């Protein structure tokens, strides 16, 4: 008992030394730190050369269809405008049957982190359900919630927050 | 349960470190700070640099003074004002000289280092009654001199306030850097006073909402390492990381039970967040909620019998309590506004939370039946309180609103349960999602 206590103590006193491990243990992750392949990396720069984009690409989606829909504060129901955008997305996905997509759900920063993760998940799934209802095969549609972690704009105003309450459709 | 733990802890400390030099408790406890009162006049205390042939004694003295000062309950007297200099643990205080500089309490000590081992001895004197009220000695490995300073700070705090201290503790948090639209977020850890800051992950994947196990040896957190954001378990002893649970959908908002055997978290089922309990050893899981609305941010009561959580099942984001098996759900928050991130206090009598109202964010507390709500802070974005192990201090994150040329900054703050003594916690990067460890063992 005493020996065990001593051991525990020694481990405690040395643990700063052996806890400096990096997360290479869990490598392969591409989200989050500006790596190439980050699905968010392109969403703000696409669409610059509208009209010259290759069909069936993210650029095409952004420039000619609309890659995102917006939500009300603390809401995850789809507006008429959102439905119209998703109808176009469903048609476009019908045209390019080989594409699979990820639907990102996002929230503004005016909520708590964990609740916003749940809210982003609800939003992404509302979009997914609508697309499935519009005839897109569900196996082509992944969802991910970023909560308030990846705002589209940094503007701390009602207009900025409205732009951040969104789902973004990203070609895999 | 708590009592047993405390006794064991004391025994353990005594066994390893401690000959008690001598303790004479005065019949009338003159040396006392009432920490329940809120805006107290801090007690003037003189902490003499510990006698030492090297600099370690001065460092220990400084860490103790800083701890006591940050608590808001003590006002350390500037050492340059001392009229009696060069004291060690056996020096007899010239009490009139300490009274002259208005010190009510006096701490003297000595440090000896032999073969990489450090022994620190101290005495706490009541200047008014001229009596020693505490004397102790600790022996640790030399590189842990800060922990000795924290343990002595805890002894002084406990002797004078009558409550267990919280200085020999650590904070796990998220270190933030980079542009606000794509911040890098690393798992990080530091001592309670901001010393020994260390990153535990590289920042390649988003890391969020870390929390300590009751042993302070494991951290449970959310990582975006894989396609599906999931709860991970980080072992501080070995540095190993593993997923916790095997759910098809996102799992998030994890917390340990107070016995460390279970974790509770949210799991997304077809896009809706439900609360699950997971057995840490067997990894078997059990669903606790079944409702088409959002259920998240669960936190166990200290006895493990109840869970407070966050739900919008009533139409807006509010706090609910249920039995640990998921039954007997009742709403406890009824004020104006929305409520999130409930955390049960270590004493069991209060729930700390984030409140959103009128465009502002607050950290507040209420009793477990929802009565007696008090808001302690207010800002553009205060969020995510965590309790000190003695239940007297809350730490939280504050994100400032950008404007006037200054960017938004996210930093850690602490505030007393009384609503006084708000302090910035110094970190080397922006910081969020703090979680306080129990007292280290």
């Amino acid at each position: 008992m005493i020996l065990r206590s001593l051991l525990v103590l020694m481990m405690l006193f040395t643990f700063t030394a052996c806890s400096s491990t990096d997360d290479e243990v869990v490598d392969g992750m591409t989200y989050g730190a500006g790596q190439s392949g980050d699905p968010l990396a392109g969403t703000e720069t696409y669409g610059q050369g509208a009209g010259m984009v290759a069909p069936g690409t993210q650029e095409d989606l952004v420039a000619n269809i609309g890659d995102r829909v917006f939500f009300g504060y603390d809401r995850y129901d789809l507006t008429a405008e959102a439905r119209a955008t998703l109808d176009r997305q469903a048609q476009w996905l019908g045209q390019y049957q080989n594409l699979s997509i990820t639907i990102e759900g996002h929230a503004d920063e005016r909520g708590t982190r964990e609740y916003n993760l749940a809210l982003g998940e609800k939003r992404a799934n509302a979009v997914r359900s609508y697309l499935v209802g519009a005839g897109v095969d569900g196996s082509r549609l992944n969802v991910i919630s970023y909560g308030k972690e990846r705002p589209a704009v940094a503007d701390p105003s009602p207009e900025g927050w409205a732009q951040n309450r969104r789902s973004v459709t990203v070609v895999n | 349960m708590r009592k047993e733990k405390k006794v064991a802890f004391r025994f353990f400390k005594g066994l390893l470190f401690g000959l008690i030099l001598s303790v004479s408790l005065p019949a009338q406890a003159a040396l006392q700070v009432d920490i329940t009162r809120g805006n107290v006049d801090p007690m003037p205390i003189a902490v003499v640099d510990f006698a030492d042939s090297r600099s370690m004694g001065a460092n220990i003295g400084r860490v103790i003074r800083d701890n006591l000062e940050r608590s808001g309950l003590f006002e350390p007297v500037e050492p340059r004002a001392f009229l009696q200099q060069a004291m060690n643990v056996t020096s007899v205080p010239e009490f009139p000289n300490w009274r002259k500089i208005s010190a009510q309490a006096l701490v003297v000590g000595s440090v000896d280092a032999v073969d990489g081992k450090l022994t620190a001895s101290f005495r706490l004197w009541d200047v008014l009654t001229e009596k020693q009220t505490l004397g102790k000695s600790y022996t640790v490995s030399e590189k842990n001199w800060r922990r000795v300073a924290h343990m002595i700070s805890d002894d002084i705090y406990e002797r004078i306030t009558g409550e267990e201290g919280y200085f020999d503790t650590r904070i796990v948090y998220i270190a933030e850097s980079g542009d606000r639209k794509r911040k890098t977020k690393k798992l990080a850890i530091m001592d309670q006073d901001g010393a020994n800051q260390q990153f535990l992950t590289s920042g390649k994947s988003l890391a969020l909402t870390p929390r300590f196990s009751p042993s302070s040896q494991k951290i449970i957190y959310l990582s975006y390492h894989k396609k599906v954001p999931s709860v991970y378990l980080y072992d501080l002893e070995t540095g190993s990381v593993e997923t916790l649970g095997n759910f098809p959908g996102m799992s998030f908002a994890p917390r340990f039970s107070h016995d460390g055997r279970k974790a509770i978290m949210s799991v997304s089922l077809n896009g809706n967040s439900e609360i699950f309990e997971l057995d840490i050893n067997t990894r078997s899981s059990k669903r606790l909620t079944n409702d088409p609305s959002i259920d998240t941010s669960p936190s166990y009561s200290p006895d493990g019998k109840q869970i407070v959580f966050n739900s919008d099942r009533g139409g807006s984001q509010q706090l609910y309590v249920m039995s640990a098996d998921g039954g007997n759900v009742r709403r406890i928050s009824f004020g104006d506004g929305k409520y999130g991130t409930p955390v049960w206090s270590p004493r069991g009598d209060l729930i700390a939370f984030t409140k959103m109202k009128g465009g502002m964010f607050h950290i507040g507390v209420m009793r477990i039946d929802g009565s007696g709500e008090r808001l302690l802070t207010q800002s553009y974005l205060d969020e995510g309180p965590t309790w000190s192990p003695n239940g007297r201090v809350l730490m939280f994150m504050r994100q400032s609103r950008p404007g006037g040329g200054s960017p938004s900054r996210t930093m850690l703050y602490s505030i007393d349960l009384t609503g006084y003594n708000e302090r910035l916690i110094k970190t080397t990067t922006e910081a969020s999602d703090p979680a306080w460890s129990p007292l280290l063992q």
Side-chain angles (χ1 to χ4, degrees), chain B residues 197-425:
Chain B
Q197 291 185 29
Q198 210 183 333
F199 300 130
L200 302 178
T201 62
S202 69
K204 263 195 288 185
S205 348
L206 268 178
L208 302 171
T209 62
R211 279 97 196 218
F212 273 110
S213 70
S215 68
S216 308
Q217 290 299 290
K218 288 181 177 163
I219 296 164
I220 194 169
Y221 69 108
L222 170 63
S223 170
Y224 278 63
H225 163 60
K226 287 186 194 155
K227 273 216 162 101
V228 180
S230 305
V231 171
Y232 288 77
L233 189 63
Y234 187 107
D235 189 320
L236 280 165
E237 265 177 57
T238 63
S240 68
V241 183
E242 57 180 319
T243 51
L244 197 55
N246 181 22
F247 303 104
M250 171 170 72
S251 56
F252 61 109
R255 270 183 207 279
F256 277 99
S257 64
H258 291 261
D259 63 8
R261 290 187 191 147
K262 286 183 277 185
I264 32 176
M265 61 186 75
S266 276
V267 174
S268 171
L269 297 179
N270 301 316
N272 183 42
S273 302
E274 301 286 3
I275 293 171
F276 278 67
E277 168 194 285
L278 188 98
D279 187 296
I280 297 286
N281 288 327
T282 67
R283 301 291 161 103
S284 62
S285 64
K286 188 176 138 195
R287 179 173 172 173
L288 300 180
T289 58
N290 191 345
D291 194 283
S293 54
I294 290 171
D295 294 316
T296 191
S297 301
S299 168
Y300 277 110
S301 62
D303 64 8
K305 290 180 178 162
Q306 295 183 87
I307 294 167
V308 63
F309 66 102
N310 199 195
S311 179
D312 68 342
R313 59 182 63 198
S316 77
Q317 189 184 352
Q318 299 291 337
L319 307 184
Y320 291 77
V321 169
M322 63 182 171
S323 306
D325 63 2
N328 192 23
V329 181
R330 67 265 187 204
R331 178 170 162 180
I332 61 163
S333 61
F334 288 99
D336 296 342
K338 301 185 178 196
Y339 297 78
T341 74
V343 192
W344 215 298
S345 80
R347 293 161 178 253
D349 55 346
L350 294 171
I351 309 281
F353 54 81
T354 305
K355 180 167 183 170
M356 295 149 273
K357 186 188 165 192
M360 299 299 280
F361 279 58
H362 309 265
I363 301 300
V365 293
M366 60 174 64
R367 287 196 280 272
I368 60 174
D369 63 1
S371 65
E373 176 177 320
R374 284 192 295 127
L375 299 183
L376 309 178
T377 74
Q378 170 174 314
S379 90
Y380 172 69
L381 211 177
D382 285 352
E383 182 182 341
T386 180
W387 292 92
S388 66
N390 70 354
R392 281 287 164 199
V393 184
L394 289 158
M395 198 178 287
F396 57 98
M397 59 153 270
R398 170 169 292 169
Q399 181 186 324
S400 67
R401 184 182 188 131
S406 52
S408 166
R409 297 271 293 162
T410 305
M411 304 297 283
L412 306 184
Y413 283 78
S414 66
I415 191 155
D416 271 33
L417 183 55
T418 55
Y420 291 94
N421 196 36
E422 186 177 287
R423 302 274 176 141
L424 172 71
I425 310 297

Side-chain angles (χ1 to χ4, degrees), chain A residues 150-171:
Chain A
R150 291 288 179 253
V153 297
D155 174 23
S157 70
E159 296 74 33
W161 300 328
Q163 286 189 60
N164 291 333
R165 294 191 296 264
R166 71 203 191 279
S167 82
V168 182
T169 300
V170 179
V171 175

Side-chain angles (χ1 to χ4, degrees), chain A residues 47-84:
Chain A
Q48 312 257 329
M52 303 170 62
V53 298
T57 60
Q58 184 73 33
E59 292 88 334
D60 183 22
L61 178 65
V62 172
N64 302 315
I65 307 295
D67 69 335
R68 60 195 62 198
V69 300
F70 300 99
F71 296 84
Y73 172 68
D74 201 13
R75 303 291 292 264
Y76 43 85
D77 54 325
L78 298 168
T79 63
E81 194 185 343
R83 287 164 197 269

